[in-house]
Amino acid sequence: MRDVAKLAGVSVATVSNALNLRGNVSPDIKERVANAVEMLGYAPHAGAQRLRRSASNLIGVVIADIANPHFGALAEELESSASGRGYSVIICNSGEDLARERRHLQTLLSHRVDGIVLIAAAGDSNERIAMLSRIGVPLAVVDRAIAGLSFDTVTLDDRRAGALVAEHLIGLGHRRIGVVSGPEGVSTARERLEGFREALASVGVPLDPRLVIDGGFRADRARSNTQRLLASAERPTAIFATDLMMALGVLSAVGDAGLVCPLDISVAAIGDNPFATALHPGLTTVAQPVNAIAAAAIEALLASIARSNDEPETSTRIALEPRLIVRGSTGAPQAGVRR
């Protein structure tokens, strides 16, 4: 708070009054304090009573997109795992927006959480790196790794997941395979695509870059871009979607084109939940061990919380093993496939 006061050119008491809406603070002073808070990334603590406590027994969870079934399931498992260890959880949704993610992190700090689990929004910035590097509480990164930071990180083995899909489709006889991927700056999209490409290359099958399209982790974008892919002169015989939301868009585009899966085209994805089995035919997927990911993340976070200040900081990277589940959406390419 002293840094905020110095930058704003006011007293510490004035900063406190402005942030807590007490006293007669002029609009000009409020604006100067707000600007200083924004520049310094300062997050005021909520409530004097909580300030006097050594621990809040609160954990904050910031997820990237609550509308994505994978993240919803992960949030549920994180809450369950933390609750079983005596912690209450505050869940925030960034909606894949970096500015919103930052506001949520500041809010969680103001509520004096003991630690934070972050499923990072798509995109990256020096501002995010700077804020997280000085966040001041234990933090565990889940699902999407963040380059340049040494926090405990728990993910799927995304390269292996992509390779499993490639090996399955190659084994069925597919050679012309399309990929619907997410933003390259997101580790899950990048690693899954690389694992897929490497597995194809290992058996002498190149991945045609013209068949790799952006789905933005959204069903609607995946649908529209897949429609264009399927309208090409030489459409693929199979499509790999790097997450389940995009797979739903791919399947919609397949139906829009009047094609039948897997007779005309095979579809496989990473991410497994009841949607995958409710579809007809069922969707071939790579399952993510959501409960194990959540349990490992909470375990790592609580170990960091328990670590005394004079102990050296350490960080671990845990990549959990994926599992291929073959269902009816994939099959061998048919001779004389309908065009």
Side-chain angles (χ1 to χ4, degrees), residues 195-240:
F196 186 82
R197 181 184 285 114
E198 289 168 359
L200 292 184
S202 71
V203 293
V205 178
L207 178 60
D208 187 340
R210 294 171 298 178
L211 299 182
V212 180
I213 61 175
D214 174 40
F217 293 133
R218 298 182 62 88
D220 54 354
R221 185 180 301 178
R223 181 178 187 174
S224 61
N225 287 344
T226 302
Q227 287 171 339
R228 288 190 283 273
L229 181 64
L230 295 177
S232 61
E234 293 186 62
R235 70 167 185 256
T237 63
I239 295 178
F240 163 44

CSV table of all heavy atoms in Angstrom, one decimal, residues 195-240:
chain,number,residue,atom,x,y,z
A,195,GLY,N,2.7,-33.6,-31.4
A,195,GLY,CA,2.7,-35.0,-31.2
A,195,GLY,C,2.1,-35.8,-32.4
A,195,GLY,O,2.6,-36.8,-32.8
A,196,PHE,N,1.0,-35.2,-32.9
A,196,PHE,CA,0.3,-35.8,-34.0
A,196,PHE,C,1.2,-35.8,-35.3
A,196,PHE,O,1.4,-36.8,-36.0
A,196,PHE,CB,-1.0,-35.0,-34.3
A,196,PHE,CG,-1.8,-35.6,-35.4
A,196,PHE,CD1,-2.7,-36.6,-35.1
A,196,PHE,CD2,-1.8,-35.1,-36.7
A,196,PHE,CE1,-3.5,-37.2,-36.1
A,196,PHE,CE2,-2.6,-35.7,-37.7
A,196,PHE,CZ,-3.5,-36.7,-37.4
A,197,ARG,N,1.9,-34.7,-35.5
A,197,ARG,CA,2.7,-34.5,-36.7
A,197,ARG,C,3.9,-35.5,-36.6
A,197,ARG,O,4.3,-36.1,-37.6
A,197,ARG,CB,3.2,-33.1,-36.8
A,197,ARG,CG,4.1,-32.8,-38.0
A,197,ARG,CD,4.6,-31.4,-38.0
A,197,ARG,NE,3.6,-30.5,-38.5
A,197,ARG,CZ,3.1,-29.5,-37.7
A,197,ARG,NH1,3.5,-29.4,-36.5
A,197,ARG,NH2,2.2,-28.7,-38.2
A,198,GLU,N,4.5,-35.5,-35.4
A,198,GLU,CA,5.7,-36.4,-35.2
A,198,GLU,C,5.4,-37.9,-35.4
A,198,GLU,O,6.2,-38.6,-36.0
A,198,GLU,CB,6.3,-36.2,-33.8
A,198,GLU,CG,7.0,-34.8,-33.7
A,198,GLU,CD,7.3,-34.5,-32.2
A,198,GLU,OE1,6.9,-35.4,-31.3
A,198,GLU,OE2,7.8,-33.4,-31.9
A,199,ALA,N,4.2,-38.3,-35.0
A,199,ALA,CA,3.8,-39.7,-35.1
A,199,ALA,C,3.6,-40.0,-36.6
A,199,ALA,O,3.9,-41.1,-37.1
A,199,ALA,CB,2.5,-40.0,-34.3
A,200,LEU,N,3.0,-39.1,-37.4
A,200,LEU,CA,2.8,-39.3,-38.8
A,200,LEU,C,4.2,-39.4,-39.5
A,200,LEU,O,4.4,-40.3,-40.3
A,200,LEU,CB,2.0,-38.1,-39.4
A,200,LEU,CG,0.5,-38.0,-39.0
A,200,LEU,CD1,-0.1,-36.9,-39.9
A,200,LEU,CD2,-0.2,-39.3,-39.3
A,201,ALA,N,5.1,-38.5,-39.1
A,201,ALA,CA,6.4,-38.4,-39.8
A,201,ALA,C,7.2,-39.7,-39.5
A,201,ALA,O,8.0,-40.2,-40.3
A,201,ALA,CB,7.2,-37.2,-39.3
A,202,SER,N,7.0,-40.3,-38.3
A,202,SER,CA,7.7,-41.5,-38.0
A,202,SER,C,7.4,-42.7,-38.9
A,202,SER,O,8.2,-43.6,-38.9
A,202,SER,CB,7.4,-41.9,-36.5
A,202,SER,OG,6.1,-42.4,-36.3
A,203,VAL,N,6.3,-42.6,-39.6
A,203,VAL,CA,5.9,-43.7,-40.5
A,203,VAL,C,5.9,-43.2,-41.9
A,203,VAL,O,5.3,-43.8,-42.8
A,203,VAL,CB,4.6,-44.4,-40.1
A,203,VAL,CG1,4.7,-45.1,-38.8
A,203,VAL,CG2,3.4,-43.3,-40.1
A,204,GLY,N,6.5,-42.0,-42.1
A,204,GLY,CA,6.7,-41.5,-43.5
A,204,GLY,C,5.5,-40.9,-44.1
A,204,GLY,O,5.4,-40.7,-45.3
A,205,VAL,N,4.6,-40.4,-43.2
A,205,VAL,CA,3.4,-39.7,-43.7
A,205,VAL,C,3.4,-38.2,-43.4
A,205,VAL,O,3.4,-37.9,-42.2
A,205,VAL,CB,2.1,-40.3,-43.1
A,205,VAL,CG1,0.8,-39.6,-43.6
A,205,VAL,CG2,2.0,-41.8,-43.5
A,206,PRO,N,3.6,-37.4,-44.3
A,206,PRO,CA,3.6,-35.9,-44.0
A,206,PRO,C,2.3,-35.4,-43.7
A,206,PRO,O,1.2,-35.9,-44.2
A,206,PRO,CB,4.2,-35.3,-45.3
A,206,PRO,CG,3.7,-36.3,-46.4
A,206,PRO,CD,3.7,-37.6,-45.8
A,207,LEU,N,2.2,-34.4,-42.9
A,207,LEU,CA,1.0,-33.7,-42.6
A,207,LEU,C,0.9,-32.5,-43.5
A,207,LEU,O,1.7,-31.5,-43.4
A,207,LEU,CB,0.9,-33.2,-41.1
A,207,LEU,CG,-0.3,-32.4,-40.7
A,207,LEU,CD1,-1.6,-33.2,-40.9
A,207,LEU,CD2,-0.2,-32.0,-39.2
A,208,ASP,N,-0.1,-32.5,-44.4
A,208,ASP,CA,-0.3,-31.4,-45.3
A,208,ASP,C,-0.7,-30.1,-44.6
A,208,ASP,O,-1.8,-30.1,-44.0
A,208,ASP,CB,-1.4,-31.8,-46.4
A,208,ASP,CG,-1.5,-30.8,-47.5
A,208,ASP,OD1,-1.1,-29.6,-47.3
A,208,ASP,OD2,-2.1,-31.2,-48.5
A,209,PRO,N,0.1,-29.1,-44.6
A,209,PRO,CA,-0.3,-27.9,-43.8
A,209,PRO,C,-1.6,-27.2,-44.3
A,209,PRO,O,-2.3,-26.5,-43.5
A,209,PRO,CB,0.9,-26.9,-44.1
A,209,PRO,CG,1.5,-27.4,-45.3
A,209,PRO,CD,1.3,-28.9,-45.3
A,210,ARG,N,-2.1,-27.5,-45.5
A,210,ARG,CA,-3.3,-27.0,-46.0
A,210,ARG,C,-4.5,-27.7,-45.3
A,210,ARG,O,-5.6,-27.1,-45.4
A,210,ARG,CB,-3.4,-27.2,-47.5
A,210,ARG,CG,-2.4,-26.4,-48.3
A,210,ARG,CD,-2.4,-26.8,-49.8
A,210,ARG,NE,-2.1,-28.2,-50.0
A,210,ARG,CZ,-2.1,-28.9,-51.1
A,210,ARG,NH1,-2.4,-28.2,-52.2
A,210,ARG,NH2,-1.7,-30.2,-51.2
A,211,LEU,N,-4.3,-28.8,-44.7
A,211,LEU,CA,-5.3,-29.5,-44.0
A,211,LEU,C,-5.4,-29.2,-42.5
A,211,LEU,O,-6.2,-29.8,-41.8
A,211,LEU,CB,-5.2,-31.0,-44.2
A,211,LEU,CG,-5.2,-31.6,-45.6
A,211,LEU,CD1,-5.0,-33.1,-45.6
A,211,LEU,CD2,-6.5,-31.1,-46.3
A,212,VAL,N,-4.5,-28.3,-42.0
A,212,VAL,CA,-4.5,-27.9,-40.6
A,212,VAL,C,-5.2,-26.5,-40.5
A,212,VAL,O,-4.8,-25.5,-41.1
A,212,VAL,CB,-3.1,-27.7,-40.1
A,212,VAL,CG1,-3.1,-27.3,-38.6
A,212,VAL,CG2,-2.3,-29.1,-40.2
A,213,ILE,N,-6.4,-26.5,-39.8
A,213,ILE,CA,-7.2,-25.3,-39.8
A,213,ILE,C,-7.4,-24.9,-38.3
A,213,ILE,O,-7.3,-25.7,-37.4
A,213,ILE,CB,-8.6,-25.5,-40.5
A,213,ILE,CG1,-9.3,-26.6,-39.8
A,213,ILE,CG2,-8.3,-25.8,-41.9
A,213,ILE,CD1,-10.8,-26.8,-40.3
A,214,ASP,N,-7.8,-23.6,-38.1
A,214,ASP,CA,-8.0,-23.1,-36.8
A,214,ASP,C,-9.4,-23.3,-36.4
A,214,ASP,O,-10.4,-22.9,-37.1
A,214,ASP,CB,-7.6,-21.6,-36.8
A,214,ASP,CG,-8.0,-20.9,-35.5
A,214,ASP,OD1,-7.8,-21.5,-34.4
A,214,ASP,OD2,-8.5,-19.8,-35.5
A,215,GLY,N,-9.6,-23.8,-35.2
A,215,GLY,CA,-11.0,-24.0,-34.6
A,215,GLY,C,-11.2,-23.1,-33.4
A,215,GLY,O,-12.3,-23.0,-32.9
A,216,GLY,N,-10.1,-22.5,-32.9
A,216,GLY,CA,-10.2,-21.5,-31.8
A,216,GLY,C,-10.8,-22.1,-30.5
A,216,GLY,O,-11.3,-21.3,-29.7
A,217,PHE,N,-10.8,-23.4,-30.3
A,217,PHE,CA,-11.4,-24.0,-29.2
A,217,PHE,C,-12.9,-23.7,-29.1
A,217,PHE,O,-13.5,-23.8,-28.0
A,217,PHE,CB,-10.7,-23.6,-27.8
A,217,PHE,CG,-9.3,-24.1,-27.7
A,217,PHE,CD1,-8.3,-23.2,-27.3
A,217,PHE,CD2,-8.9,-25.4,-28.0
A,217,PHE,CE1,-7.0,-23.6,-27.1
A,217,PHE,CE2,-7.6,-25.8,-27.8
A,217,PHE,CZ,-6.7,-24.9,-27.4
A,218,ARG,N,-13.5,-23.5,-30.2
A,218,ARG,CA,-14.9,-23.1,-30.2
A,218,ARG,C,-15.6,-24.0,-31.3
A,218,ARG,O,-15.1,-24.2,-32.4
A,218,ARG,CB,-15.1,-21.6,-30.6
A,218,ARG,CG,-14.5,-20.7,-29.6
A,218,ARG,CD,-14.8,-19.3,-30.0
A,218,ARG,NE,-16.2,-19.0,-30.0
A,218,ARG,CZ,-16.9,-18.6,-28.9
A,218,ARG,NH1,-16.3,-18.5,-27.8
A,218,ARG,NH2,-18.2,-18.4,-29.0
A,219,ALA,N,-16.8,-24.5,-30.9
A,219,ALA,CA,-17.6,-25.3,-31.8
A,219,ALA,C,-18.0,-24.6,-33.1
A,219,ALA,O,-17.9,-25.1,-34.2
A,219,ALA,CB,-18.8,-25.9,-31.1
A,220,ASP,N,-18.4,-23.3,-32.9
A,220,ASP,CA,-18.9,-22.5,-34.1
A,220,ASP,C,-17.8,-22.3,-35.1
A,220,ASP,O,-18.0,-22.4,-36.3
A,220,ASP,CB,-19.6,-21.2,-33.7
A,220,ASP,CG,-18.7,-20.4,-32.8
A,220,ASP,OD1,-17.6,-20.8,-32.4
A,220,ASP,OD2,-19.2,-19.2,-32.5
A,221,ARG,N,-16.6,-21.9,-34.6
A,221,ARG,CA,-15.5,-21.6,-35.5
A,221,ARG,C,-15.0,-22.9,-36.2
A,221,ARG,O,-14.7,-23.0,-37.4
A,221,ARG,CB,-14.3,-21.0,-34.8
A,221,ARG,CG,-13.2,-20.6,-35.8
A,221,ARG,CD,-12.1,-19.9,-35.0
A,221,ARG,NE,-12.5,-18.7,-34.3
A,221,ARG,CZ,-11.7,-18.0,-33.6
A,221,ARG,NH1,-10.4,-18.3,-33.4
A,221,ARG,NH2,-12.1,-16.9,-33.0
A,222,ALA,N,-15.0,-24.0,-35.4
A,222,ALA,CA,-14.6,-25.3,-36.0
A,222,ALA,C,-15.5,-25.7,-37.1
A,222,ALA,O,-15.1,-26.3,-38.1
A,222,ALA,CB,-14.5,-26.3,-34.9
A,223,ARG,N,-16.8,-25.5,-36.8
A,223,ARG,CA,-17.8,-25.9,-37.8
A,223,ARG,C,-17.7,-25.1,-39.1
A,223,ARG,O,-17.6,-25.7,-40.2
A,223,ARG,CB,-19.2,-25.6,-37.2
A,223,ARG,CG,-20.4,-26.0,-38.2
A,223,ARG,CD,-21.7,-25.8,-37.5
A,223,ARG,NE,-22.8,-26.3,-38.3
A,223,ARG,CZ,-24.1,-26.3,-37.9
A,223,ARG,NH1,-24.4,-25.9,-36.7
A,223,ARG,NH2,-25.0,-26.8,-38.7
A,224,SER,N,-17.5,-23.8,-39.1
A,224,SER,CA,-17.4,-23.0,-40.3
A,224,SER,C,-16.2,-23.3,-41.1
A,224,SER,O,-16.2,-23.4,-42.3
A,224,SER,CB,-17.5,-21.5,-40.0
A,224,SER,OG,-16.5,-21.1,-39.1
A,225,ASN,N,-15.0,-23.5,-40.3
A,225,ASN,CA,-13.8,-23.8,-41.0
A,225,ASN,C,-13.7,-25.2,-41.6
A,225,ASN,O,-13.2,-25.4,-42.6
A,225,ASN,CB,-12.6,-23.5,-40.1
A,225,ASN,CG,-12.4,-22.0,-39.9
A,225,ASN,OD1,-12.9,-21.2,-40.6
A,225,ASN,ND2,-11.6,-21.7,-38.9
A,226,THR,N,-14.4,-26.1,-40.9
A,226,THR,CA,-14.4,-27.5,-41.4
A,226,THR,C,-15.3,-27.6,-42.6
A,226,THR,O,-15.1,-28.4,-43.5
A,226,THR,CB,-15.0,-28.5,-40.3
A,226,THR,OG1,-14.1,-28.4,-39.2
A,226,THR,CG2,-15.0,-29.9,-40.8
A,227,GLN,N,-16.4,-26.8,-42.7
A,227,GLN,CA,-17.2,-26.7,-43.9
A,227,GLN,C,-16.4,-26.4,-45.1
A,227,GLN,O,-16.5,-27.0,-46.2
A,227,GLN,CB,-18.3,-25.7,-43.7
A,227,GLN,CG,-19.4,-26.1,-42.7
A,227,GLN,CD,-20.4,-25.0,-42.4
A,227,GLN,OE1,-20.1,-23.8,-42.6
A,227,GLN,NE2,-21.6,-25.4,-41.9
A,228,ARG,N,-15.5,-25.4,-45.0
A,228,ARG,CA,-14.6,-25.1,-46.1
A,228,ARG,C,-13.7,-26.2,-46.4
A,228,ARG,O,-13.4,-26.5,-47.6
A,228,ARG,CB,-13.9,-23.8,-45.8
A,228,ARG,CG,-14.8,-22.6,-45.8
A,228,ARG,CD,-14.0,-21.3,-45.8
A,228,ARG,NE,-13.5,-21.0,-44.4
A,228,ARG,CZ,-14.2,-20.4,-43.5
A,228,ARG,NH1,-15.4,-19.9,-43.8
A,228,ARG,NH2,-13.7,-20.1,-42.3
A,229,LEU,N,-13.1,-26.9,-45.4
A,229,LEU,CA,-12.2,-28.0,-45.6
A,229,LEU,C,-12.9,-29.1,-46.4
A,229,LEU,O,-12.3,-29.7,-47.3
A,229,LEU,CB,-11.7,-28.5,-44.3
A,229,LEU,CG,-10.7,-29.6,-44.3
A,229,LEU,CD1,-9.4,-29.2,-45.0
A,229,LEU,CD2,-10.4,-30.1,-42.9
A,230,LEU,N,-14.1,-29.4,-46.0
A,230,LEU,CA,-14.9,-30.5,-46.6
A,230,LEU,C,-15.3,-30.2,-48.1
A,230,LEU,O,-15.6,-31.1,-48.8
A,230,LEU,CB,-16.1,-30.9,-45.8
A,230,LEU,CG,-15.8,-31.5,-44.4
A,230,LEU,CD1,-17.1,-31.7,-43.6
A,230,LEU,CD2,-15.0,-32.7,-44.5
A,231,ALA,N,-15.4,-28.9,-48.4
A,231,ALA,CA,-15.7,-28.5,-49.7
A,231,ALA,C,-14.6,-28.5,-50.7
A,231,ALA,O,-14.8,-28.2,-51.9
A,231,ALA,CB,-16.4,-27.1,-49.7
A,232,SER,N,-13.4,-28.8,-50.2
A,232,SER,CA,-12.2,-28.7,-51.1
A,232,SER,C,-12.2,-29.9,-52.0
A,232,SER,O,-12.9,-30.9,-51.8
A,232,SER,CB,-10.9,-28.8,-50.2
A,232,SER,OG,-10.8,-30.0,-49.5
A,233,ALA,N,-11.4,-29.8,-53.1
A,233,ALA,CA,-11.4,-30.8,-54.2
A,233,ALA,C,-11.0,-32.2,-53.6
A,233,ALA,O,-11.6,-33.2,-54.0
A,233,ALA,CB,-10.5,-30.4,-55.3
A,234,GLU,N,-10.0,-32.2,-52.8
A,234,GLU,CA,-9.6,-33.4,-52.2
A,234,GLU,C,-9.7,-33.4,-50.7
A,234,GLU,O,-8.8,-33.0,-50.0
A,234,GLU,CB,-8.1,-33.7,-52.6
A,234,GLU,CG,-7.9,-34.0,-54.0
A,234,GLU,CD,-6.4,-34.4,-54.3
A,234,GLU,OE1,-6.0,-35.4,-53.8
A,234,GLU,OE2,-5.7,-33.7,-55.0
A,235,ARG,N,-10.9,-33.7,-50.2
A,235,ARG,CA,-11.1,-33.6,-48.8
A,235,ARG,C,-10.4,-34.7,-48.1
A,235,ARG,O,-10.1,-35.8,-48.6
A,235,ARG,CB,-12.6,-33.6,-48.5
A,235,ARG,CG,-13.3,-34.9,-48.7
A,235,ARG,CD,-14.7,-34.9,-48.1
A,235,ARG,NE,-15.3,-36.2,-48.1
A,235,ARG,CZ,-16.2,-36.6,-49.0
A,235,ARG,NH1,-16.7,-35.7,-49.9
A,235,ARG,NH2,-16.7,-37.8,-49.0
A,236,PRO,N,-10.1,-34.5,-46.8
A,236,PRO,CA,-9.4,-35.6,-46.0
A,236,PRO,C,-10.4,-36.8,-45.8
A,236,PRO,O,-11.6,-36.6,-45.9
A,236,PRO,CB,-9.1,-34.9,-44.7
A,236,PRO,CG,-10.1,-33.8,-44.6
A,236,PRO,CD,-10.3,-33.3,-46.0
A,237,THR,N,-9.8,-37.9,-45.5
A,237,THR,CA,-10.6,-39.1,-45.2
A,237,THR,C,-10.8,-39.2,-43.7
A,237,THR,O,-11.6,-40.0,-43.2
A,237,THR,CB,-9.9,-40.4,-45.6
A,237,THR,OG1,-8.6,-40.5,-45.0
A,237,THR,CG2,-9.7,-40.3,-47.2
A,238,ALA,N,-10.1,-38.4,-42.9
A,238,ALA,CA,-10.3,-38.3,-41.4
A,238,ALA,C,-9.9,-37.0,-40.9
A,238,ALA,O,-9.1,-36.2,-41.6
A,238,ALA,CB,-9.4,-39.4,-40.8
A,239,ILE,N,-10.5,-36.6,-39.8
A,239,ILE,CA,-10.2,-35.3,-39.2
A,239,ILE,C,-10.0,-35.5,-37.7
A,239,ILE,O,-10.7,-36.3,-37.0
A,239,ILE,CB,-11.4,-34.3,-39.3
A,239,ILE,CG1,-11.6,-33.9,-40.8
A,239,ILE,CG2,-11.1,-33.0,-38.5
A,239,ILE,CD1,-12.7,-33.0,-41.1
A,240,PHE,N,-8.9,-34.9,-37.2
A,240,PHE,CA,-8.5,-34.9,-35.8
A,240,PHE,C,-8.8,-33.5,-35.2
A,240,PHE,O,-8.2,-32.5,-35.6
A,240,PHE,CB,-7.0,-35.3,-35.7
A,240,PHE,CG,-6.4,-35.0,-34.3
A,240,PHE,CD1,-7.1,-35.3,-33.1
A,240,PHE,CD2,-5.1,-34.4,-34.3
A,240,PHE,CE1,-6.5,-35.0,-31.9
A,240,PHE,CE2,-4.5,-34.2,-33.0
A,240,PHE,CZ,-5.2,-34.4,-31.9
